[in-house]
Amino acid sequence: MSNLRQGAASDAATAPGMAAFAGHLADLAREISLSAFRRDLHVQHKADDSPVTAIDRSIETMIRREIARVFPDHGILGEEHGRAHLDAEHVWVVDPIDGTRSFISGWPLWGTLIALLHRGKPVLGLVDIPFLDERWTGAPGQATLYNGRPVHARDCRELADATVYCTSPDIFTQDERAAFERVTAAAQTRRFGGDCYSYAMLASGHLDAVVEAQLQPYDYLSLAPVIEGAGGVITGWHGEALGMEGSGRVVAAATPELHRQILEKLA
């Protein structure tokens, strides 16, 4: 990683130059998470009642240490250890285990999410699914790569033909649930589960839309370059661009036409 340090300022502003470093972080995270998966875990609950393990925290600690070593001027936002220097020109956003409930129950559809923001905009996104040995990387102006090969979202333009996913109906308020029901009532199929994996499957052309709420920046910022690099669209429920601040309501779709139809239903 020494070469990355030498060219930090220029490389960080151009996401392709940072993909190797993000992959390095994901490789290290895999070693930690896979060593504990389907083993006895001590589970705690945070203030919002979401579960967390020592594995979540140790992965994020490692990632923070590596970023500080190579890019000491960069900021970071992580799910487990908070925020540091978010006023920096470059900020990393990390979810060490997206899908902790899946992780602790032995379900393999959990992942590590890593994003790099340049002046508040995502310029690199990585979704890593360790147990399945699958990885997606996206950057503006670049085709999304799945294990090194380009992928593209499905050409679904009608909600009536769409397969729509959501991690769980429990994430919605009453009004949000009603809006989601309007969307899925008009869709061909709806399915639940997946966490970040659903968005990755959208990028690879296996499903057509994901509609969710109550998300945090570390849940969705890494997904934006992956979805967009595959030809899809991802925004908030009102069509707004995703950033550090937002409602936590996210809709991703395979095509602009499908995205518009979903926004109409959500409204």
Side-chain angles (χ1 to χ4, degrees), residues 10 50-51 244:
S10 60
S50 62
M244 281 289 201

Side-chain angles (χ1 to χ4, degrees), residues 5 8 15 28 36 42 46-47 61 88 100 116 127 130 137 140 145 148 167 183 214 230 232 238 252 255:
R5 186 187 292 110
L28 295 178
H42 176 61
K46 295 183 281 189
T61 296
T100 299
L116 174 64
V127 178
T137 306
L145 301 180
T167 295
V183 172
Q214 311 303 320
H238 298 291
T255 64

Side-chain angles (χ1 to χ4, degrees), residues 139-162:
Q142 306 283 328
T144 291
L145 301 180
Y146 163 67
N147 287 355
R149 297 182 178 182
V151 291
H152 202 279
R154 198 151 59 185
D155 187 28
C156 179
R157 306 184 185 190
E158 297 294 332
L159 183 54
D161 300 326

Side-chain angles (χ1 to χ4, degrees), residues 172-185:
F172 297 123
T173 65
Q174 184 175 352
D175 289 343
E176 290 167 346
R177 177 67 179 269
F180 177 74
E181 295 283 355
R182 289 196 298 272
V183 172
T184 59

